[in-house]
Amino acid sequence: MKFCTVKQYFDDENNNNVTNGIATTVIPLPNKHLKIKANNKEMEQYEQELLRNVMPQELTKLILAANYLNFKEALDFFCRTVANAIQNKSVDYVRKFFGLESDFEPGEEEKLCKEFAWSFEGVDED
Amino acid sequence: MGRKSKSHSDPTTSMTKKKAKAVKGDEKVGGTDIISKLHPNIVTDILSRLPFNTVLSCRCVCKTWLHLLVDPSFAQLYHTRAHPCIILQPTYRHRNQHLYAVHFDNRNRVRKSSTRIKFATKTHLCMGCNVKLSLLDSCNGLILLGDDCHYHDSVKLNQLYVCNPITGEFVIIKHKPGINLTSFNACLCLGFCPKTQVYKVVRLLKQQYGVEVSNSMLTHVYTLGEKGNGLWKSVNVGESLLDQPTDTIFLNGIIHWVVRSDSGPQFIYSFDVEDECFRPVPPPPEFVSSEQTMRSRWTISLGVLEGCLAIGECAKDAYFHIWVMKDYGVQASWTKAYTIGFTMVTSYSHL
């Protein structure tokens, strides 16, 4: 039973975790999964389409929604998508994606970057 | 229907925390402080799906992420999820101080830019530039290197290094004194015991004393970590005429190799890293039939396919067959899984 939390969601009047828009994206997913379960390529295409127009911030909200609804497949899918989006990207890109700021001391970050200088080679341009 | 436990966090307790953090975050990034809402487990989940070079560069994003990534639990999670990576060492002498990693992305495609791990003998291992390292073996994320010191015509091995190629951490292992070791007469392999979580270096040596050939194989085991006490231990083979392995593969705590000489009936032998015992492994039934003479032992290589022991065979009919032992130790479970047509096949090795 994938939707143990959905009942609670509907019961919860003051729900900050899942907005209506997000719910409409996440909830139809299991049906779609079942329909095109056999065909991996179709699923990939569906995933690409679904997320083409989704901004990073929306993606994070989707993850939170999937987590709250205890929907493991969707959570897995969204985490995978985020990982694909940030793989081989620069540190600045990753920071912007997640809305993070560096909290290192001035020399610390340089030291870290130097330690693994080779991991910054061949990184995709932002 | 009652509430079940959540994948990552309980909403009631974390909601209050989220609200508190969100207030602070709103001041910073104009109302879009997203990351504080993501539970660390979710961040770890995302990061564990990345190729290792991105994982390492993510250490520089912020302190929270650095702490998440250096935690040993992340390494364990990453190990279970990571796609295998092949490490290559060029044989061209001037370039062989570098190791190259070929990484497969999430869709099993080779990434366009192969990551180059610069095996900095100068900086990482504090050695002079004259020292050449050879890649001897790999197991469970660590690699075994030996320094090749050219001594007259043969290559003498002085020290061994067990190294984590991604972090650059390593330990030095000195050879047992009194044994004249060259890379031609010793087989060095790295093993891992999943039960005790201990790495061991195994040295298999067929000693030749003048004209007589010793029947036994000298076997020494070096256990890494506290349990090893920094000493090589002799292991009794107790077997007659075991040939020295040329190359080995590791599967589930056991080192395997093909017995190349035709003198005995055994095709495959193994050394269990945990109990340090030798045992034969049954080959496919077809290999021990009357057709056996058709199969030269030099055309067979071992590998691991989907967690099972596999044999790659260059058959005389210019086909390459892959046999897989679906149930370990059960001879009848050997299945010819793939047949590939080739006009010319060279030997392959599996890392």
Side-chain angles (χ1 to χ4, degrees), chain B residues 7-254:
Chain B
S7 343
H8 291 293
S9 62
D10 185 272
T12 50
T13 52
S14 59
M15 217 185 298
T16 42
K17 283 186 203 167
K18 281 171 196 170
K19 275 186 185 164
K21 275 190 186 172
V23 168
K24 189 182 170 192
D26 282 351
E27 292 166 9
K28 262 197 218 171
V29 200
T32 56
D33 185 16
I34 304 146
I35 192 62
S36 64
K37 289 187 181 175
L38 282 182
H39 194 276
N41 281 351
I42 298 184
V43 177
T44 311
D45 187 299
I46 296 170
L47 295 175
S48 69
R49 295 163 192 266
L50 294 168
F52 59 78
N53 60 329
T54 313
V55 168
L56 289 172
S57 61
C58 281
R59 287 185 177 194
C60 303
V61 168
C62 66
K63 282 187 181 172
T64 315
W65 280 29
L66 176 65
H67 291 137
L68 281 178
L69 290 171
V70 298
D71 195 272
S73 59
F74 178 80
Q76 280 183 344
L77 173 66
Y78 191 76
H79 188 71
T80 55
R81 280 208 166 151
H83 300 277
C85 172
I86 299 176
I87 294 192
L88 306 169
Q89 181 178 38
T91 51
Y92 180 51
R93 198 173 280 183
H94 294 294
R95 281 188 158 254
N96 68 359
Q97 282 177 334
H98 296 156
L99 294 178
Y100 294 80
V102 178
H103 181 82
F104 296 90
D105 66 14
N106 288 331
R107 293 188 171 88
N108 274 332
R109 290 192 291 250
V110 176
R111 281 195 37 222
K112 286 176 205 166
S113 55
S114 295
T115 314
R116 189 181 60 201
I117 301 178
K118 252 189 181 164
F119 234 96
T121 48
K122 285 183 216 173
T123 54
H124 280 72
L125 303 178
C126 305
M127 314 251 358
C129 8
N130 292 328
V131 178
K132 303 272 189 310
L133 292 176
S134 350
L135 183 61
L136 297 171
D137 199 7
S138 72
C139 178
N140 204 48
L142 298 188
I143 58 176
L144 178 68
L145 299 155
D147 63 348
D148 294 345
C149 180
H150 283 267
Y151 184 74
H152 296 306
D153 290 327
S154 65
V155 177
K156 195 176 168 196
L157 288 170
N158 279 326
Q159 288 182 140
L160 296 172
Y161 305 86
V162 176
C163 176
N164 180 335
I166 293 170
T167 62
E169 296 162 311
F170 66 96
V171 290
I172 298 177
I173 300 169
K174 290 201 188 298
H175 279 300
K176 198 171 180 175
I179 293 188
N180 188 14
L181 213 58
T182 69
S183 59
F184 297 116
N185 69 1
C187 177
L188 289 150
C189 26
L190 183 63
F192 175 70
C193 178
K195 278 188 205 162
T196 55
Q197 297 281 304
V198 161
Y199 284 89
K200 296 184 186 178
V201 179
V202 180
R203 188 170 64 198
L204 302 158
L205 182 64
K206 192 90 179 199
Q207 197 75 316
Q208 292 192 359
Y209 302 99
V211 182
E212 292 173 30
V213 176
S214 166
N215 275 355
S216 64
M217 180 141 69
L218 287 182
T219 309
H220 300 113
V221 175
Y222 184 98
T223 306
L224 269 75
E226 294 159 353
K227 294 179 185 174
N229 299 321
L231 297 170
W232 286 92
K233 191 175 79 175
S234 272
V235 170
N236 263 334
V237 177
E239 292 284 339
S240 59
L241 278 178
L242 254 188
D243 224 31
Q244 182 177 298
T246 47
D247 48 82
T248 60
I249 64 116
F250 178 83
L251 172 66
N252 290 337
I254 305 174

Side-chain angles (χ1 to χ4, degrees), chain B residues 285-301:
Chain B
E286 292 87 338
F287 279 42
V288 292
S289 65
S290 56
E291 289 173 14
Q292 187 196 341
T293 47
M294 297 282 285
R295 290 185 160 92
S296 161
R297 291 170 191 228
W298 289 97
T299 61
I300 291 167
S301 300

Side-chain angles (χ1 to χ4, degrees), chain A:
Chain A
M1 181 62 173
K2 291 187 199 294
F3 292 109
C4 352
T5 333
V6 175
K7 182 175 183 295
Q8 197 228 328
Y9 160 65
F10 285 113
D11 289 344
D12 235 344
E13 286 177 356
N14 192 19
N15 196 326
N16 287 337
N17 285 331
V18 186
T19 61
N20 282 333
I22 302 297
T24 50
T25 316
V26 176
I27 289 174
L29 266 179
N31 280 335
K32 198 74 190 180
H33 263 276
L34 286 169
K35 279 184 194 164
I36 52 179
K37 202 176 171 181
N39 199 334
N40 273 332
K41 250 191 175 173
E42 262 192 63
M43 196 63 214
E44 257 185 51
Q45 279 173 359
Y46 176 76
E47 287 174 6
Q48 296 286 346
E49 224 181 275
L50 188 70
L51 294 163
R52 194 169 299 157
N53 301 321
V54 173
M55 296 297 290
Q57 291 86 348
E58 290 288 306
L59 201 50
T60 323
K61 287 184 191 170
L62 284 170
I63 291 179
L64 285 170
N67 182 37
Y68 180 72
L69 293 170
N70 203 17
F71 187 1
K72 289 196 170 72
E73 280 87 349
L75 187 61
D76 184 64
F77 161 50
F78 294 135
C79 287
R80 206 180 340 127
T81 314
V82 172
N84 283 338
I86 61 171
Q87 83 175 355
N88 205 39
K89 292 282 191 283
S90 69
V91 174
D92 281 329
Y93 185 95
V94 175
R95 281 198 192 121
K96 275 188 211 151
F97 190 95
F98 287 97
L100 288 167
E101 278 179 19
S102 168
D103 52 354
F104 286 113
E105 306 297 322
E108 274 183 341
E109 192 180 331
E110 274 170 33
K111 198 178 156 198
L112 275 172
C113 292
K114 227 180 175 181
E115 213 181 315
F116 298 109
W118 60 265
S119 66
F120 296 98
E121 287 175 23
V123 158
D124 295 345
E125 283 179 17
D126 288 354

